[in-house]
Amino acid sequence: MDLSWLFLLLFLGDSLLVNVSGNIVFPVQHKFKGRERNLSALKAHDVRRHGRFLFDIDLELGGNGQPSETGLYFAKLGLGSPPKDYYVQVDTGSDILWVNCVGCKSCPKKSGLGLDLTLYDPKSSSTSSLVACDQAFCTSTYNGQLTGCRPDVLCQYEVVYGDGSSTSGYFVNDNVQFDQVTGNLQTAPGNGSIIFGCGAKQSGELGTSSEALDGILGFGQANSSMLSQLASAGKVKKIFAHCLDNVNGGGIFAIGEVVKPKVNTTPLVPNQAHYNVVLKEIEVGGDNLSLPSDVFDNGFRKGTIIDSGTTLAYLPQVVYGDLMSKILSQQPGLKLRTVEQQFSCFQYNSGNVDDGFPTVKFYFEGSLSLMVYPHEYLFQISVSNNDNVWCFGWQNGGDQTKDGKDITLLGDLVLSNKLVLYDLEQQTIGWTEYNCSSSIKVKDNSGVAYSVGAHNLSSASTLIIGRKLTFLLLVIATLLSFIN
């Protein structure tokens, strides 16, 4: 389930407040590659979806970035002392790490993903401690101590999804183990102490066995994220990057300062719940679209969302219409048909789509651009044993929000085969076209740079999981971030 469309509700008793506020490697596996899915499932995947030595972390990736196959990624990390392995979804749009715990109500006991699930037990770890409501982590999350708090009352959490599923529990403090980069394509075990959620009750899809994982690992910007906690402890820099390979599968995910390749960046829009940037204009086949100046700045939803957890690309209605008209003008004889009442598809027997369709180029603040080739915004499906049917990955963002407003979001469709860098210290994000089956270089604070290579975990080849959060929930979460 994708948490790019997630907001965190932390509660205590009857009190409620919405908080929208070195180099390391983890083994990560892709959830969708190689499993047959229909287009409705693909769309649902998006709609129901966000003085110390510094070292780097390498997060091993698996899977495939093709729009008809892609999904989210999950990592294996160790928790507790002695450490036990847990499979958690990696999500760039949410903040906290949480795992299912012993005594949990409706927690899945098995997974259809080919994984052995493990319930975390604080009592079985010699380094665990419970987090009380009067401790600094809890009070800072609540922006103060809540009424009724006592030293013996635990700091609780609840995450609610747009499809009605949810997870709730309490926070614990324990060791986390990961793969620390120690040399070129080499790692060694590393660890740190973090606060994460201990899931006590699950509902909806989180409680099913067919798509179950041990929990979620959020890579959002909040202080409660594992990335922020490790950075605050001086373990890592608050910088990470991913490169999703939809040619060979797998890719690269690393925490640390990337020094090669060089990446041009654009500023993040401040005070947003997600990774938002300022989109200035769009060019189709060398011609600029004539668009209203404020089309990408819709009220409290500032800017364009960059979300590697979403598969397709969503544009405001006026942008979507002009974009499609400009693309189709180069193929006047093309006969479109609607597949599954939502995808514009066509039969194409004229060779390479890159030769028959125009490129689309996005221009952002700070002279950063993003080139999208036809083979990236078009994807093939099989209809009645015909493999020459292609569909557009562009979607009308106005159809995705129940409040009737447009949304601009760029997902894996345009981010695959590019190194995407999130620099939260400089509050920038950037990308460059890159061979995601190769390697990148990350530097620690001693000035030494090491290579971090691509991974393609074979055990991910038959995995599938859906994202559950709706665009409406994103709107609500973003609005509440301004209210608070």
Side-chain angles (χ1 to χ4, degrees):
M1 134 176 339
D2 177 32
L3 299 182
S4 299
W5 316 114
L6 171 154
F7 68 92
L8 178 63
L9 299 175
L10 293 175
F11 65 94
L12 179 66
D14 294 330
S15 301
L16 177 65
L17 180 65
V18 179
N19 178 35
V20 284
S21 43
N23 303 321
I24 303 177
V25 181
F26 293 95
V28 174
Q29 297 170 306
H30 197 290
K31 297 176 180 174
F32 277 146
K33 183 193 172 189
R35 193 78 167 264
E36 186 68 27
R37 298 190 301 150
N38 58 33
L39 293 182
S40 293
L42 172 64
K43 192 69 166 288
H45 161 74
D46 286 351
V47 174
R48 299 190 306 252
R49 144 197 216 301
H50 278 173
R52 298 182 179 103
F53 183 76
L54 299 175
F55 52 84
D56 302 323
I57 297 176
D58 176 14
L59 209 67
E60 296 184 14
L61 290 179
N64 190 300
Q66 292 289 343
S68 58
E69 298 180 0
T70 193
L72 305 179
Y73 297 81
F74 63 90
K76 182 177 72 172
L77 72 161
L79 293 174
S81 299
K84 295 182 179 179
D85 290 336
Y86 299 85
Y87 292 94
V88 291
Q89 178 176 314
V90 177
D91 174 41
T92 61
S94 64
D95 296 313
I96 70 167
L97 163 65
W98 63 266
V99 294
N100 296 318
C101 285
V102 168
C104 172
K105 296 179 181 178
S106 302
C107 276
K109 295 180 173 57
K110 62 179 181 178
S111 173
L113 305 178
L115 305 172
D116 293 327
L117 301 183
T118 303
L119 294 176
Y120 172 79
D121 184 0
K123 294 181 179 179
S124 68
S125 173
S126 62
T127 51
S128 71
S129 62
L130 303 179
V131 179
C133 63
D134 61 346
Q135 290 182 240
F137 177 88
C138 197
T139 56
S140 64
T141 302
Y142 281 109
N143 296 317
Q145 192 173 117
L146 297 182
T147 303
C149 176
R150 303 185 308 274
D152 59 340
V153 176
L154 297 180
C155 184
Q156 303 183 37
Y157 81 92
E158 182 178 12
V159 179
V160 181
Y161 302 89
D163 65 344
S165 61
S166 65
T167 174
S168 60
Y170 53 92
F171 284 108
V172 298
N173 192 327
D174 207 344
N175 283 347
V176 59
Q177 187 176 87
F178 37 70
D179 291 335
Q180 175 184 338
V181 177
T182 57
N184 289 322
L185 307 179
Q186 296 178 352
T187 63
N191 64 75
S193 177
I194 64 167
I195 294 175
F196 57 93
C198 190
K201 182 179 181 181
Q202 316 296 5
S203 70
E205 292 293 329
L206 286 175
T208 64
S209 60
S210 61
E211 300 177 348
L213 288 171
D214 290 318
I216 305 288
L217 171 58
F219 266 88
Q221 304 183 61
N223 293 333
S224 56
S225 73
M226 188 183 78
L227 176 66
S228 295
Q229 292 186 61
L230 290 177
S232 179
K235 295 286 187 179
V236 299
K237 287 189 174 182
K238 209 171 180 181
I239 306 171
F240 67 95
H242 60 68
C243 195
L244 310 179
D245 187 348
N246 73 349
V247 177
N248 301 305
I252 304 167
F253 199 119
I255 300 176
E257 181 181 355
V258 177
V259 294
K260 186 179 180 181
K262 295 294 183 182
V263 177
N264 293 329
T265 61
T266 186
L268 289 170
V269 179
N271 303 318
Q272 298 294 300
H274 304 275
Y275 293 112
N276 293 33
V277 295
V278 176
L279 177 59
K280 308 292 286 187
E281 59 183 338
I282 301 176
E283 184 181 277
V284 179
D287 296 330
N288 288 339
L289 297 182
S290 298
L291 302 171
S293 59
D294 62 347
V295 68
F296 299 117
D297 189 357
N298 232 345
F300 58 83
R301 285 171 296 182
K302 304 289 185 180
T304 294
I305 300 168
I306 304 297
D307 179 19
S308 65
T310 297
T311 303
L312 305 172
Y314 299 83
L315 302 170
Q317 183 170 346
V318 62
V319 180
Y320 172 79
D322 286 356
L323 177 76
M324 291 295 291
S325 294
K326 184 72 73 172
I327 292 175
L328 294 174
S329 68
Q330 298 195 20
Q331 289 285 343
L334 206 64
K335 295 182 179 180
L336 293 180
R337 55 173 162 167
T338 301
V339 176
E340 297 187 8
Q341 300 181 331
Q342 53 192 330
F343 289 91
S344 295
C345 303
F346 57 91
Q347 184 168 335
Y348 191 73
N349 300 311
S350 302
N352 193 328
V353 292
D354 283 338
D355 297 329
F357 292 84
T359 58
V360 177
K361 194 171 185 178
F362 296 86
Y363 291 90
F364 300 87
E365 185 177 290
S367 300
L368 179 66
S369 63
L370 180 67
M371 179 71 80
V372 186
Y373 298 94
H375 71 269
E376 293 174 325
Y377 66 73
L378 295 169
F379 60 95
Q380 281 183 285
I381 63 171
S382 179
V383 178
S384 300
N385 296 321
N386 186 350
D387 293 330
N388 290 324
V389 176
W390 293 76
C391 297
F392 286 97
W394 307 116
Q395 298 294 306
N396 186 344
D399 294 340
Q400 311 306 317
T401 51
K402 295 181 180 180
D403 64 354
K405 295 183 179 180
D406 293 340
I407 191 169
T408 310
L409 185 149
L410 303 179
D412 283 345
L413 178 79
V414 298
L415 297 177
S416 294
N417 304 316
K418 297 171 180 68
L419 178 70
V420 183
L421 174 66
Y422 304 74
D423 189 338
L424 304 188
E425 296 188 354
Q426 298 298 323
Q427 281 295 289
T428 60
I429 187 173
W431 46 76
T432 185
E433 292 188 28
Y434 201 65
N435 178 2
C436 296
S437 64
S438 58
S439 64
I440 63 175
K441 283 190 176 292
V442 293
K443 183 178 68 174
D444 58 34
N445 70 333
S446 68
V448 178
Y450 295 118
S451 295
V452 174
H455 305 278
N456 186 12
L457 302 182
S458 59
S459 59
S461 61
T462 59
L463 304 180
I464 178 171
I465 194 167
R467 62 190 299 164
K468 307 301 177 186
L469 211 58
T470 64
F471 281 82
L472 176 61
L473 188 56
L474 168 66
V475 172
I476 296 173
T478 309
L479 176 60
L480 289 171
S481 70
F482 282 90
I483 295 175
N484 291 290

PDB file of all heavy atoms in Angstrom, residues 203-237:
ATOM      1  N   SER A 203      -6.631  -2.990  10.184  1.00  0.00           N
ATOM      2  CA  SER A 203      -7.943  -3.188   9.573  1.00  0.00           C
ATOM      3  C   SER A 203      -7.825  -3.065   8.069  1.00  0.00           C
ATOM      4  O   SER A 203      -6.838  -2.532   7.545  1.00  0.00           O
ATOM      5  CB  SER A 203      -8.947  -2.153  10.105  1.00  0.00           C
ATOM      6  OG  SER A 203      -8.635  -0.855   9.609  1.00  0.00           O
ATOM      7  N   GLY A 204      -8.839  -3.560   7.371  1.00  0.00           N
ATOM      8  CA  GLY A 204      -8.850  -3.471   5.919  1.00  0.00           C
ATOM      9  C   GLY A 204      -7.740  -4.288   5.294  1.00  0.00           C
ATOM     10  O   GLY A 204      -7.415  -5.387   5.750  1.00  0.00           O
ATOM     11  N   GLU A 205      -7.136  -3.732   4.230  1.00  0.00           N
ATOM     12  CA  GLU A 205      -6.110  -4.447   3.483  1.00  0.00           C
ATOM     13  C   GLU A 205      -4.882  -4.774   4.324  1.00  0.00           C
ATOM     14  O   GLU A 205      -4.179  -5.742   4.046  1.00  0.00           O
ATOM     15  CB  GLU A 205      -5.680  -3.628   2.267  1.00  0.00           C
ATOM     16  CG  GLU A 205      -6.751  -3.495   1.190  1.00  0.00           C
ATOM     17  CD  GLU A 205      -7.063  -4.818   0.522  1.00  0.00           C
ATOM     18  OE1 GLU A 205      -6.149  -5.658   0.423  1.00  0.00           O
ATOM     19  OE2 GLU A 205      -8.217  -5.014   0.106  1.00  0.00           O
ATOM     20  N   LEU A 206      -4.621  -3.984   5.353  1.00  0.00           N
ATOM     21  CA  LEU A 206      -3.449  -4.254   6.184  1.00  0.00           C
ATOM     22  C   LEU A 206      -3.595  -5.547   6.975  1.00  0.00           C
ATOM     23  O   LEU A 206      -2.610  -6.093   7.472  1.00  0.00           O
ATOM     24  CB  LEU A 206      -3.200  -3.086   7.142  1.00  0.00           C
ATOM     25  CG  LEU A 206      -2.625  -1.824   6.510  1.00  0.00           C
ATOM     26  CD1 LEU A 206      -2.539  -0.706   7.541  1.00  0.00           C
ATOM     27  CD2 LEU A 206      -1.252  -2.095   5.919  1.00  0.00           C
ATOM     28  N   GLY A 207      -4.810  -6.018   7.109  1.00  0.00           N
ATOM     29  CA  GLY A 207      -5.023  -7.246   7.868  1.00  0.00           C
ATOM     30  C   GLY A 207      -5.176  -8.472   7.004  1.00  0.00           C
ATOM     31  O   GLY A 207      -5.374  -9.571   7.516  1.00  0.00           O
ATOM     32  N   THR A 208      -5.094  -8.311   5.679  1.00  0.00           N
ATOM     33  CA  THR A 208      -5.248  -9.461   4.791  1.00  0.00           C
ATOM     34  C   THR A 208      -3.930 -10.188   4.623  1.00  0.00           C
ATOM     35  O   THR A 208      -2.861  -9.635   4.844  1.00  0.00           O
ATOM     36  CB  THR A 208      -5.763  -9.019   3.413  1.00  0.00           C
ATOM     37  OG1 THR A 208      -4.776  -8.184   2.791  1.00  0.00           O
ATOM     38  CG2 THR A 208      -7.074  -8.260   3.533  1.00  0.00           C
ATOM     39  N   SER A 209      -4.013 -11.436   4.184  1.00  0.00           N
ATOM     40  CA  SER A 209      -2.797 -12.235   4.032  1.00  0.00           C
ATOM     41  C   SER A 209      -2.248 -12.206   2.613  1.00  0.00           C
ATOM     42  O   SER A 209      -1.075 -12.504   2.406  1.00  0.00           O
ATOM     43  CB  SER A 209      -3.081 -13.687   4.433  1.00  0.00           C
ATOM     44  OG  SER A 209      -4.097 -14.230   3.599  1.00  0.00           O
ATOM     45  N   SER A 210      -3.076 -11.858   1.614  1.00  0.00           N
ATOM     46  CA  SER A 210      -2.637 -11.964   0.221  1.00  0.00           C
ATOM     47  C   SER A 210      -1.571 -10.939  -0.145  1.00  0.00           C
ATOM     48  O   SER A 210      -0.734 -11.180  -1.007  1.00  0.00           O
ATOM     49  CB  SER A 210      -3.835 -11.821  -0.721  1.00  0.00           C
ATOM     50  OG  SER A 210      -4.445 -10.553  -0.563  1.00  0.00           O
ATOM     51  N   GLU A 211      -1.598  -9.761   0.479  1.00  0.00           N
ATOM     52  CA  GLU A 211      -0.647  -8.713   0.124  1.00  0.00           C
ATOM     53  C   GLU A 211       0.059  -8.174   1.360  1.00  0.00           C
ATOM     54  O   GLU A 211       0.360  -6.994   1.454  1.00  0.00           O
ATOM     55  CB  GLU A 211      -1.372  -7.577  -0.603  1.00  0.00           C
ATOM     56  CG  GLU A 211      -2.051  -8.011  -1.884  1.00  0.00           C
ATOM     57  CD  GLU A 211      -2.822  -6.894  -2.545  1.00  0.00           C
ATOM     58  OE1 GLU A 211      -3.025  -5.849  -1.887  1.00  0.00           O
ATOM     59  OE2 GLU A 211      -3.216  -7.046  -3.709  1.00  0.00           O
ATOM     60  N   ALA A 212       0.322  -9.037   2.305  1.00  0.00           N
ATOM     61  CA  ALA A 212       0.799  -8.578   3.603  1.00  0.00           C
ATOM     62  C   ALA A 212       2.312  -8.391   3.643  1.00  0.00           C
ATOM     63  O   ALA A 212       3.072  -9.100   3.002  1.00  0.00           O
ATOM     64  CB  ALA A 212       0.381  -9.569   4.683  1.00  0.00           C
ATOM     65  N   LEU A 213       2.713  -7.396   4.432  1.00  0.00           N
ATOM     66  CA  LEU A 213       4.105  -7.163   4.788  1.00  0.00           C
ATOM     67  C   LEU A 213       4.173  -6.963   6.300  1.00  0.00           C
ATOM     68  O   LEU A 213       3.150  -6.912   6.981  1.00  0.00           O
ATOM     69  CB  LEU A 213       4.649  -5.930   4.072  1.00  0.00           C
ATOM     70  CG  LEU A 213       4.901  -6.071   2.566  1.00  0.00           C
ATOM     71  CD1 LEU A 213       5.233  -4.711   1.973  1.00  0.00           C
ATOM     72  CD2 LEU A 213       6.031  -7.051   2.295  1.00  0.00           C
ATOM     73  N   ASP A 214       5.398  -6.835   6.810  1.00  0.00           N
ATOM     74  CA  ASP A 214       5.555  -6.624   8.246  1.00  0.00           C
ATOM     75  C   ASP A 214       5.268  -5.190   8.655  1.00  0.00           C
ATOM     76  O   ASP A 214       5.027  -4.928   9.839  1.00  0.00           O
ATOM     77  CB  ASP A 214       6.974  -6.997   8.690  1.00  0.00           C
ATOM     78  CG  ASP A 214       7.223  -8.495   8.634  1.00  0.00           C
ATOM     79  OD1 ASP A 214       6.321  -9.255   9.041  1.00  0.00           O
ATOM     80  OD2 ASP A 214       8.293  -8.897   8.169  1.00  0.00           O
ATOM     81  N   GLY A 215       5.312  -4.249   7.695  1.00  0.00           N
ATOM     82  CA  GLY A 215       5.075  -2.863   8.060  1.00  0.00           C
ATOM     83  C   GLY A 215       5.447  -1.910   6.949  1.00  0.00           C
ATOM     84  O   GLY A 215       5.543  -2.301   5.777  1.00  0.00           O
ATOM     85  N   ILE A 216       5.665  -0.655   7.312  1.00  0.00           N
ATOM     86  CA  ILE A 216       5.953   0.425   6.359  1.00  0.00           C
ATOM     87  C   ILE A 216       7.178   1.205   6.836  1.00  0.00           C
ATOM     88  O   ILE A 216       7.310   1.506   8.026  1.00  0.00           O
ATOM     89  CB  ILE A 216       4.770   1.400   6.253  1.00  0.00           C
ATOM     90  CG1 ILE A 216       3.489   0.655   5.905  1.00  0.00           C
ATOM     91  CG2 ILE A 216       5.060   2.517   5.261  1.00  0.00           C
ATOM     92  CD1 ILE A 216       3.420   0.138   4.497  1.00  0.00           C
ATOM     93  N   LEU A 217       8.058   1.542   5.902  1.00  0.00           N
ATOM     94  CA  LEU A 217       9.206   2.404   6.182  1.00  0.00           C
ATOM     95  C   LEU A 217       9.048   3.696   5.394  1.00  0.00           C
ATOM     96  O   LEU A 217       9.211   3.708   4.175  1.00  0.00           O
ATOM     97  CB  LEU A 217      10.515   1.697   5.798  1.00  0.00           C
ATOM     98  CG  LEU A 217      11.804   2.532   5.831  1.00  0.00           C
ATOM     99  CD1 LEU A 217      12.031   3.123   7.223  1.00  0.00           C
ATOM    100  CD2 LEU A 217      12.999   1.694   5.400  1.00  0.00           C
ATOM    101  N   GLY A 218       8.702   4.781   6.084  1.00  0.00           N
ATOM    102  CA  GLY A 218       8.474   6.058   5.428  1.00  0.00           C
ATOM    103  C   GLY A 218       9.763   6.842   5.231  1.00  0.00           C
ATOM    104  O   GLY A 218      10.609   6.891   6.123  1.00  0.00           O
ATOM    105  N   PHE A 219       9.892   7.458   4.057  1.00  0.00           N
ATOM    106  CA  PHE A 219      11.037   8.302   3.743  1.00  0.00           C
ATOM    107  C   PHE A 219      10.609   9.755   3.564  1.00  0.00           C
ATOM    108  O   PHE A 219      11.159  10.480   2.753  1.00  0.00           O
ATOM    109  CB  PHE A 219      11.760   7.802   2.487  1.00  0.00           C
ATOM    110  CG  PHE A 219      12.906   6.882   2.791  1.00  0.00           C
ATOM    111  CD1 PHE A 219      12.692   5.524   2.930  1.00  0.00           C
ATOM    112  CD2 PHE A 219      14.189   7.372   2.962  1.00  0.00           C
ATOM    113  CE1 PHE A 219      13.737   4.660   3.219  1.00  0.00           C
ATOM    114  CE2 PHE A 219      15.245   6.526   3.249  1.00  0.00           C
ATOM    115  CZ  PHE A 219      15.026   5.169   3.384  1.00  0.00           C
ATOM    116  N   GLY A 220       9.621  10.188   4.346  1.00  0.00           N
ATOM    117  CA  GLY A 220       9.157  11.562   4.289  1.00  0.00           C
ATOM    118  C   GLY A 220      10.080  12.511   5.035  1.00  0.00           C
ATOM    119  O   GLY A 220      11.129  12.132   5.555  1.00  0.00           O
ATOM    120  N   GLN A 221       9.656  13.785   5.107  1.00  0.00           N
ATOM    121  CA  GLN A 221      10.514  14.832   5.645  1.00  0.00           C
ATOM    122  C   GLN A 221      10.369  15.056   7.145  1.00  0.00           C
ATOM    123  O   GLN A 221      11.192  15.740   7.740  1.00  0.00           O
ATOM    124  CB  GLN A 221      10.209  16.155   4.931  1.00  0.00           C
ATOM    125  CG  GLN A 221      10.351  16.095   3.425  1.00  0.00           C
ATOM    126  CD  GLN A 221      10.125  17.434   2.768  1.00  0.00           C
ATOM    127  OE1 GLN A 221      10.843  18.396   3.028  1.00  0.00           O
ATOM    128  NE2 GLN A 221       9.113  17.518   1.917  1.00  0.00           N
ATOM    129  N   ALA A 222       9.341  14.509   7.773  1.00  0.00           N
ATOM    130  CA  ALA A 222       9.059  14.817   9.172  1.00  0.00           C
ATOM    131  C   ALA A 222      10.162  14.322  10.102  1.00  0.00           C
ATOM    132  O   ALA A 222      10.910  13.393   9.778  1.00  0.00           O
ATOM    133  CB  ALA A 222       7.717  14.215   9.586  1.00  0.00           C
ATOM    134  N   ASN A 223      10.248  14.938  11.273  1.00  0.00           N
ATOM    135  CA  ASN A 223      11.251  14.546  12.269  1.00  0.00           C
ATOM    136  C   ASN A 223      11.045  13.123  12.783  1.00  0.00           C
ATOM    137  O   ASN A 223      11.951  12.528  13.352  1.00  0.00           O
ATOM    138  CB  ASN A 223      11.235  15.522  13.440  1.00  0.00           C
ATOM    139  CG  ASN A 223      11.719  16.905  13.049  1.00  0.00           C
ATOM    140  OD1 ASN A 223      12.496  17.053  12.110  1.00  0.00           O
ATOM    141  ND2 ASN A 223      11.258  17.920  13.758  1.00  0.00           N
ATOM    142  N   SER A 224       9.837  12.587  12.602  1.00  0.00           N
ATOM    143  CA  SER A 224       9.536  11.243  13.091  1.00  0.00           C
ATOM    144  C   SER A 224      10.040  10.150  12.160  1.00  0.00           C
ATOM    145  O   SER A 224      10.016   8.971  12.524  1.00  0.00           O
ATOM    146  CB  SER A 224       8.023  11.086  13.282  1.00  0.00           C
ATOM    147  OG  SER A 224       7.332  11.371  12.080  1.00  0.00           O
ATOM    148  N   SER A 225      10.490  10.485  10.962  1.00  0.00           N
ATOM    149  CA  SER A 225      10.945   9.459  10.022  1.00  0.00           C
ATOM    150  C   SER A 225      12.270   8.854  10.476  1.00  0.00           C
ATOM    151  O   SER A 225      13.048   9.475  11.201  1.00  0.00           O
ATOM    152  CB  SER A 225      11.111  10.042   8.620  1.00  0.00           C
ATOM    153  OG  SER A 225      12.248  10.871   8.551  1.00  0.00           O
ATOM    154  N   MET A 226      12.542   7.632  10.033  1.00  0.00           N
ATOM    155  CA  MET A 226      13.803   6.989  10.372  1.00  0.00           C
ATOM    156  C   MET A 226      14.976   7.779   9.822  1.00  0.00           C
ATOM    157  O   MET A 226      16.014   7.918  10.474  1.00  0.00           O
ATOM    158  CB  MET A 226      13.832   5.555   9.832  1.00  0.00           C
ATOM    159  CG  MET A 226      15.047   4.758  10.318  1.00  0.00           C
ATOM    160  SD  MET A 226      15.162   3.092   9.626  1.00  0.00           S
ATOM    161  CE  MET A 226      15.799   3.459   7.998  1.00  0.00           C
ATOM    162  N   LEU A 227      14.824   8.312   8.597  1.00  0.00           N
ATOM    163  CA  LEU A 227      15.886   9.111   7.997  1.00  0.00           C
ATOM    164  C   LEU A 227      16.206  10.321   8.868  1.00  0.00           C
ATOM    165  O   LEU A 227      17.373  10.617   9.139  1.00  0.00           O
ATOM    166  CB  LEU A 227      15.458   9.564   6.607  1.00  0.00           C
ATOM    167  CG  LEU A 227      16.427  10.490   5.864  1.00  0.00           C
ATOM    168  CD1 LEU A 227      17.719   9.750   5.541  1.00  0.00           C
ATOM    169  CD2 LEU A 227      15.784  11.028   4.590  1.00  0.00           C
ATOM    170  N   SER A 228      15.176  11.033   9.323  1.00  0.00           N
ATOM    171  CA  SER A 228      15.386  12.215  10.159  1.00  0.00           C
ATOM    172  C   SER A 228      16.019  11.849  11.491  1.00  0.00           C
ATOM    173  O   SER A 228      16.897  12.563  11.995  1.00  0.00           O
ATOM    174  CB  SER A 228      14.056  12.946  10.391  1.00  0.00           C
ATOM    175  OG  SER A 228      13.539  13.465   9.187  1.00  0.00           O
ATOM    176  N   GLN A 229      15.592  10.744  12.071  1.00  0.00           N
ATOM    177  CA  GLN A 229      16.145  10.326  13.365  1.00  0.00           C
ATOM    178  C   GLN A 229      17.614   9.929  13.241  1.00  0.00           C
ATOM    179  O   GLN A 229      18.435  10.296  14.092  1.00  0.00           O
ATOM    180  CB  GLN A 229      15.326   9.174  13.935  1.00  0.00           C
ATOM    181  CG  GLN A 229      13.912   9.557  14.350  1.00  0.00           C
ATOM    182  CD  GLN A 229      13.200   8.402  15.036  1.00  0.00           C
ATOM    183  OE1 GLN A 229      13.633   7.910  16.084  1.00  0.00           O
ATOM    184  NE2 GLN A 229      12.107   7.956  14.445  1.00  0.00           N
ATOM    185  N   LEU A 230      17.957   9.181  12.194  1.00  0.00           N
ATOM    186  CA  LEU A 230      19.355   8.803  11.998  1.00  0.00           C
ATOM    187  C   LEU A 230      20.220  10.019  11.702  1.00  0.00           C
ATOM    188  O   LEU A 230      21.367  10.102  12.144  1.00  0.00           O
ATOM    189  CB  LEU A 230      19.471   7.789  10.859  1.00  0.00           C
ATOM    190  CG  LEU A 230      18.908   6.391  11.129  1.00  0.00           C
ATOM    191  CD1 LEU A 230      19.024   5.529   9.875  1.00  0.00           C
ATOM    192  CD2 LEU A 230      19.612   5.726  12.304  1.00  0.00           C
ATOM    193  N   ALA A 231      19.661  10.978  10.964  1.00  0.00           N
ATOM    194  CA  ALA A 231      20.402  12.212  10.674  1.00  0.00           C
ATOM    195  C   ALA A 231      20.593  13.034  11.945  1.00  0.00           C
ATOM    196  O   ALA A 231      21.673  13.597  12.181  1.00  0.00           O
ATOM    197  CB  ALA A 231      19.667  13.027   9.616  1.00  0.00           C
ATOM    198  N   SER A 232      19.564  13.111  12.772  1.00  0.00           N
ATOM    199  CA  SER A 232      19.660  13.860  14.017  1.00  0.00           C
ATOM    200  C   SER A 232      20.694  13.252  14.957  1.00  0.00           C
ATOM    201  O   SER A 232      21.358  13.964  15.725  1.00  0.00           O
ATOM    202  CB  SER A 232      18.292  13.900  14.706  1.00  0.00           C
ATOM    203  OG  SER A 232      18.342  14.593  15.928  1.00  0.00           O
ATOM    204  N   ALA A 233      20.857  11.933  14.888  1.00  0.00           N
ATOM    205  CA  ALA A 233      21.846  11.241  15.718  1.00  0.00           C
ATOM    206  C   ALA A 233      23.241  11.297  15.114  1.00  0.00           C
ATOM    207  O   ALA A 233      24.190  10.757  15.688  1.00  0.00           O
ATOM    208  CB  ALA A 233      21.425   9.786  15.917  1.00  0.00           C
ATOM    209  N   GLY A 234      23.376  11.950  13.958  1.00  0.00           N
ATOM    210  CA  GLY A 234      24.685  12.052  13.323  1.00  0.00           C
ATOM    211  C   GLY A 234      25.102  10.817  12.576  1.00  0.00           C
ATOM    212  O   GLY A 234      26.279  10.657  12.229  1.00  0.00           O
ATOM    213  N   LYS A 235      24.160   9.918  12.280  1.00  0.00           N
ATOM    214  CA  LYS A 235      24.495   8.675  11.580  1.00  0.00           C
ATOM    215  C   LYS A 235      24.600   8.880  10.067  1.00  0.00           C
ATOM    216  O   LYS A 235      25.439   8.271   9.406  1.00  0.00           O
ATOM    217  CB  LYS A 235      23.428   7.611  11.876  1.00  0.00           C
ATOM    218  CG  LYS A 235      23.360   7.171  13.334  1.00  0.00           C
ATOM    219  CD  LYS A 235      24.525   6.283  13.698  1.00  0.00           C
ATOM    220  CE  LYS A 235      24.379   5.712  15.092  1.00  0.00           C
ATOM    221  NZ  LYS A 235      25.500   4.814  15.454  1.00  0.00           N
ATOM    222  N   VAL A 236      23.692   9.692   9.513  1.00  0.00           N
ATOM    223  CA  VAL A 236      23.648   9.877   8.063  1.00  0.00           C
ATOM    224  C   VAL A 236      23.362  11.337   7.746  1.00  0.00           C
ATOM    225  O   VAL A 236      22.946  12.112   8.613  1.00  0.00           O
ATOM    226  CB  VAL A 236      22.537   9.008   7.410  1.00  0.00           C
ATOM    227  CG1 VAL A 236      22.773   7.537   7.637  1.00  0.00           C
ATOM    228  CG2 VAL A 236      21.156   9.422   7.919  1.00  0.00           C
ATOM    229  N   LYS A 237      23.593  11.695   6.507  1.00  0.00           N
ATOM    230  CA  LYS A 237      23.098  12.966   6.014  1.00  0.00           C
ATOM    231  C   LYS A 237      21.653  12.767   5.551  1.00  0.00           C
ATOM    232  O   LYS A 237      21.247  11.675   5.157  1.00  0.00           O
ATOM    233  CB  LYS A 237      23.959  13.460   4.849  1.00  0.00           C
ATOM    234  CG  LYS A 237      25.330  13.953   5.287  1.00  0.00           C
ATOM    235  CD  LYS A 237      26.065  14.645   4.150  1.00  0.00           C
ATOM    236  CE  LYS A 237      27.376  15.253   4.649  1.00  0.00           C
ATOM    237  NZ  LYS A 237      28.102  15.976   3.572  1.00  0.00           N
TER     238      LYS A 237
END
